[in-house]
Amino acid sequence: MRMQGTMLVLYVDSSPIDQAVAGVRLGSEPGLLLACVSSGSEALEAVFGGKWLPDLVLMDVALHDAPASEVAGQMRAAFSPLELPIMLLASRSGEAQALAALEAGVMIKQSVRRQAEARSHHELLVQVLPPHIIQRLAAGQAYIPEQHEQVTILFSDIVCFTELCSLWPTAEVVALLDVLFSAFDDLCDKHGVFKVETGGDAYMAVAGHDGAPDHTLRMAAMAVDMLAAAEEVQHQIRIGMHTGPALSGVVGKRRPRYCFFGGSVNTASRMESSGYPMTVHLSDACAAALAAAATAAAASGG
């Protein structure tokens, strides 16, 4: 039974998720009665065959059984805007343009989804590009490769990974990599280190590309925590580190990658491949930079 003084809103949307969202957002509003239908035919039946005429129709333009423009047109032919207000919710900009004749439709869902998509796109960019690069791209700047006077580069791999792959089912190998690399990703966030890439069992990370002066100390702390993470999954890893100059740049248009180039990358890789299990193999340059950074931190009370 419809109570006197309540506003009946007919919500037309083919998406069960959107209907649920509408129920949460609108269903609890005092003085508002929400009725949800999932098709244009059901909407027409509710308007023309229902016991009460809705006070407002909220209609998504992307209905699965009929164009929203036709459904709204049939309603408008029978009822004036004062008798039956119709608000179109444009979830797709192309279809919204096709409904330009129905300018009374309010593009509510379009703005909401665009904001959600923008947040989602930013979150994806953060996974592949460092913040200062994202800021430059957002400002419309053409990205130019950067020359870094000094960065610290880390490589790691799993000891006896080839033998492990020959003995374990592939699914178990993938599960191991997921657990271990997820732990490494969390450590990157903890220590302010940028994950560059993974390949097979190899993991590469860089610090100092953002100009932070304590990159060697942060990477050393990262390496120690990586050894602890490997112990937790009962596998051994090797780690190699080098500090030196490098060139960085965004490579590719689809799935762009922030890559590092130069002799320092090769040196860090050699430190890893020539190291011992469950140890961190430092180049002479990295060891000297680490000692200097530790001395400076101690002198400053850090």
Side-chain angles (χ1 to χ4, degrees), residues 20 51 56 62 73 81 100 145 151 165 212 214-215 225 270 274 292 295:
K51 189 174 182 179
L56 173 66
V151 296
C165 289
D214 60 341
H215 53 88
D225 283 350
R270 287 198 301 270
S274 60
T295 300

PDB file of all heavy atoms in Angstrom, residues 20 51 56 62 73 81 100 145 151 165 212 214-215 225 270 274 292 295:
ATOM      1  N   ALA A  20      20.974  -2.514  -7.096  1.00  0.00           N
ATOM      2  CA  ALA A  20      21.331  -2.664  -5.688  1.00  0.00           C
ATOM      3  C   ALA A  20      21.864  -1.357  -5.121  1.00  0.00           C
ATOM      4  O   ALA A  20      21.546  -0.970  -3.990  1.00  0.00           O
ATOM      5  CB  ALA A  20      22.362  -3.777  -5.529  1.00  0.00           C
ATOM      6  N   LYS A  51      -1.003   0.438 -10.462  1.00  0.00           N
ATOM      7  CA  LYS A  51      -2.078   1.010  -9.665  1.00  0.00           C
ATOM      8  C   LYS A  51      -1.893   2.511  -9.484  1.00  0.00           C
ATOM      9  O   LYS A  51      -2.874   3.267  -9.433  1.00  0.00           O
ATOM     10  CB  LYS A  51      -2.127   0.319  -8.304  1.00  0.00           C
ATOM     11  CG  LYS A  51      -3.343   0.698  -7.473  1.00  0.00           C
ATOM     12  CD  LYS A  51      -3.398  -0.137  -6.203  1.00  0.00           C
ATOM     13  CE  LYS A  51      -4.636   0.212  -5.388  1.00  0.00           C
ATOM     14  NZ  LYS A  51      -4.723  -0.608  -4.141  1.00  0.00           N
ATOM     15  N   LEU A  56       8.170  10.025 -10.427  1.00  0.00           N
ATOM     16  CA  LEU A  56       9.432  10.269 -11.151  1.00  0.00           C
ATOM     17  C   LEU A  56       9.917   8.963 -11.740  1.00  0.00           C
ATOM     18  O   LEU A  56       9.827   7.906 -11.091  1.00  0.00           O
ATOM     19  CB  LEU A  56      10.491  10.840 -10.195  1.00  0.00           C
ATOM     20  CG  LEU A  56      11.915  10.990 -10.748  1.00  0.00           C
ATOM     21  CD1 LEU A  56      11.946  12.045 -11.852  1.00  0.00           C
ATOM     22  CD2 LEU A  56      12.889  11.350  -9.635  1.00  0.00           C
ATOM     23  N   ALA A  62      20.927   2.496 -21.189  1.00  0.00           N
ATOM     24  CA  ALA A  62      21.418   1.219 -21.729  1.00  0.00           C
ATOM     25  C   ALA A  62      20.514   0.074 -21.287  1.00  0.00           C
ATOM     26  O   ALA A  62      20.906  -0.784 -20.502  1.00  0.00           O
ATOM     27  CB  ALA A  62      22.861   0.975 -21.275  1.00  0.00           C
ATOM     28  N   GLY A  73       9.822   7.929 -25.015  1.00  0.00           N
ATOM     29  CA  GLY A  73       8.930   8.566 -25.974  1.00  0.00           C
ATOM     30  C   GLY A  73       7.488   8.130 -25.805  1.00  0.00           C
ATOM     31  O   GLY A  73       6.561   8.946 -25.906  1.00  0.00           O
ATOM     32  N   PRO A  81       5.504  16.478 -19.053  1.00  0.00           N
ATOM     33  CA  PRO A  81       6.606  16.507 -18.087  1.00  0.00           C
ATOM     34  C   PRO A  81       6.146  16.793 -16.662  1.00  0.00           C
ATOM     35  O   PRO A  81       6.772  16.327 -15.707  1.00  0.00           O
ATOM     36  CB  PRO A  81       7.510  17.627 -18.620  1.00  0.00           C
ATOM     37  CG  PRO A  81       7.243  17.646 -20.086  1.00  0.00           C
ATOM     38  CD  PRO A  81       5.782  17.338 -20.218  1.00  0.00           C
ATOM     39  N   ALA A 100      20.070  13.277 -27.513  1.00  0.00           N
ATOM     40  CA  ALA A 100      20.142  14.734 -27.347  1.00  0.00           C
ATOM     41  C   ALA A 100      18.763  15.373 -27.384  1.00  0.00           C
ATOM     42  O   ALA A 100      18.552  16.439 -26.805  1.00  0.00           O
ATOM     43  CB  ALA A 100      21.022  15.331 -28.450  1.00  0.00           C
ATOM     44  N   PRO A 145      63.233  11.178 -21.527  1.00  0.00           N
ATOM     45  CA  PRO A 145      64.023  10.274 -20.681  1.00  0.00           C
ATOM     46  C   PRO A 145      64.873  11.048 -19.674  1.00  0.00           C
ATOM     47  O   PRO A 145      65.387  12.119 -19.969  1.00  0.00           O
ATOM     48  CB  PRO A 145      64.890   9.526 -21.692  1.00  0.00           C
ATOM     49  CG  PRO A 145      64.088   9.547 -22.955  1.00  0.00           C
ATOM     50  CD  PRO A 145      63.382  10.868 -22.960  1.00  0.00           C
ATOM     51  N   VAL A 151      71.392   6.075  -8.643  1.00  0.00           N
ATOM     52  CA  VAL A 151      70.253   5.298  -8.156  1.00  0.00           C
ATOM     53  C   VAL A 151      70.789   3.984  -7.606  1.00  0.00           C
ATOM     54  O   VAL A 151      71.916   3.588  -7.899  1.00  0.00           O
ATOM     55  CB  VAL A 151      69.221   5.004  -9.274  1.00  0.00           C
ATOM     56  CG1 VAL A 151      68.594   6.282  -9.788  1.00  0.00           C
ATOM     57  CG2 VAL A 151      69.861   4.215 -10.406  1.00  0.00           C
ATOM     58  N   CYS A 165      60.966 -25.854 -11.249  1.00  0.00           N
ATOM     59  CA  CYS A 165      59.942 -25.888 -12.307  1.00  0.00           C
ATOM     60  C   CYS A 165      59.790 -27.284 -12.903  1.00  0.00           C
ATOM     61  O   CYS A 165      58.702 -27.658 -13.354  1.00  0.00           O
ATOM     62  CB  CYS A 165      60.288 -24.887 -13.404  1.00  0.00           C
ATOM     63  SG  CYS A 165      60.094 -23.161 -12.917  1.00  0.00           S
ATOM     64  N   ALA A 212      65.309  11.122  -3.941  1.00  0.00           N
ATOM     65  CA  ALA A 212      65.469  10.904  -2.499  1.00  0.00           C
ATOM     66  C   ALA A 212      66.927  10.534  -2.203  1.00  0.00           C
ATOM     67  O   ALA A 212      67.476   9.630  -2.846  1.00  0.00           O
ATOM     68  CB  ALA A 212      64.531   9.810  -2.018  1.00  0.00           C
ATOM     69  N   ASP A 214      68.357   9.082   0.434  1.00  0.00           N
ATOM     70  CA  ASP A 214      68.642   7.905   1.256  1.00  0.00           C
ATOM     71  C   ASP A 214      68.315   6.599   0.538  1.00  0.00           C
ATOM     72  O   ASP A 214      67.974   5.596   1.165  1.00  0.00           O
ATOM     73  CB  ASP A 214      67.850   7.986   2.560  1.00  0.00           C
ATOM     74  CG  ASP A 214      66.344   8.032   2.328  1.00  0.00           C
ATOM     75  OD1 ASP A 214      65.927   8.354   1.200  1.00  0.00           O
ATOM     76  OD2 ASP A 214      65.585   7.764   3.281  1.00  0.00           O
ATOM     77  N   HIS A 215      68.420   6.598  -0.778  1.00  0.00           N
ATOM     78  CA  HIS A 215      67.970   5.439  -1.557  1.00  0.00           C
ATOM     79  C   HIS A 215      68.757   4.175  -1.250  1.00  0.00           C
ATOM     80  O   HIS A 215      68.211   3.071  -1.252  1.00  0.00           O
ATOM     81  CB  HIS A 215      68.020   5.750  -3.057  1.00  0.00           C
ATOM     82  CG  HIS A 215      69.325   6.258  -3.547  1.00  0.00           C
ATOM     83  ND1 HIS A 215      70.337   5.431  -3.969  1.00  0.00           N
ATOM     84  CD2 HIS A 215      69.793   7.524  -3.680  1.00  0.00           C
ATOM     85  CE1 HIS A 215      71.368   6.164  -4.376  1.00  0.00           C
ATOM     86  NE2 HIS A 215      71.064   7.446  -4.200  1.00  0.00           N
ATOM     87  N   ASP A 225      64.533  -7.373   4.347  1.00  0.00           N
ATOM     88  CA  ASP A 225      63.155  -7.843   4.511  1.00  0.00           C
ATOM     89  C   ASP A 225      62.780  -8.864   3.441  1.00  0.00           C
ATOM     90  O   ASP A 225      61.953  -9.761   3.689  1.00  0.00           O
ATOM     91  CB  ASP A 225      62.195  -6.658   4.452  1.00  0.00           C
ATOM     92  CG  ASP A 225      62.180  -5.864   5.755  1.00  0.00           C
ATOM     93  OD1 ASP A 225      62.769  -6.338   6.746  1.00  0.00           O
ATOM     94  OD2 ASP A 225      61.582  -4.763   5.774  1.00  0.00           O
ATOM     95  N   ARG A 270      74.567  -8.669 -12.523  1.00  0.00           N
ATOM     96  CA  ARG A 270      75.723  -9.558 -12.300  1.00  0.00           C
ATOM     97  C   ARG A 270      75.940  -9.807 -10.815  1.00  0.00           C
ATOM     98  O   ARG A 270      76.348 -10.904 -10.415  1.00  0.00           O
ATOM     99  CB  ARG A 270      76.981  -8.957 -12.924  1.00  0.00           C
ATOM    100  CG  ARG A 270      77.016  -9.019 -14.442  1.00  0.00           C
ATOM    101  CD  ARG A 270      78.426  -8.818 -14.963  1.00  0.00           C
ATOM    102  NE  ARG A 270      78.971  -7.524 -14.546  1.00  0.00           N
ATOM    103  CZ  ARG A 270      78.846  -6.403 -15.244  1.00  0.00           C
ATOM    104  NH1 ARG A 270      78.140  -6.400 -16.370  1.00  0.00           N
ATOM    105  NH2 ARG A 270      79.372  -5.271 -14.811  1.00  0.00           N
ATOM    106  N   SER A 274      75.960 -13.721  -9.484  1.00  0.00           N
ATOM    107  CA  SER A 274      77.214 -14.243  -8.927  1.00  0.00           C
ATOM    108  C   SER A 274      77.177 -14.322  -7.402  1.00  0.00           C
ATOM    109  O   SER A 274      78.190 -14.630  -6.767  1.00  0.00           O
ATOM    110  CB  SER A 274      78.382 -13.358  -9.358  1.00  0.00           C
ATOM    111  OG  SER A 274      78.229 -12.021  -8.900  1.00  0.00           O
ATOM    112  N   ALA A 292      78.659   5.345   3.416  1.00  0.00           N
ATOM    113  CA  ALA A 292      78.577   6.805   3.522  1.00  0.00           C
ATOM    114  C   ALA A 292      77.207   7.245   4.010  1.00  0.00           C
ATOM    115  O   ALA A 292      77.088   8.148   4.851  1.00  0.00           O
ATOM    116  CB  ALA A 292      78.885   7.433   2.158  1.00  0.00           C
ATOM    117  N   THR A 295      76.899   6.457   7.730  1.00  0.00           N
ATOM    118  CA  THR A 295      77.660   7.420   8.519  1.00  0.00           C
ATOM    119  C   THR A 295      76.923   8.737   8.617  1.00  0.00           C
ATOM    120  O   THR A 295      76.836   9.351   9.695  1.00  0.00           O
ATOM    121  CB  THR A 295      79.046   7.645   7.890  1.00  0.00           C
ATOM    122  OG1 THR A 295      79.745   6.398   7.853  1.00  0.00           O
ATOM    123  CG2 THR A 295      79.847   8.660   8.697  1.00  0.00           C
TER     124      THR A 295
END
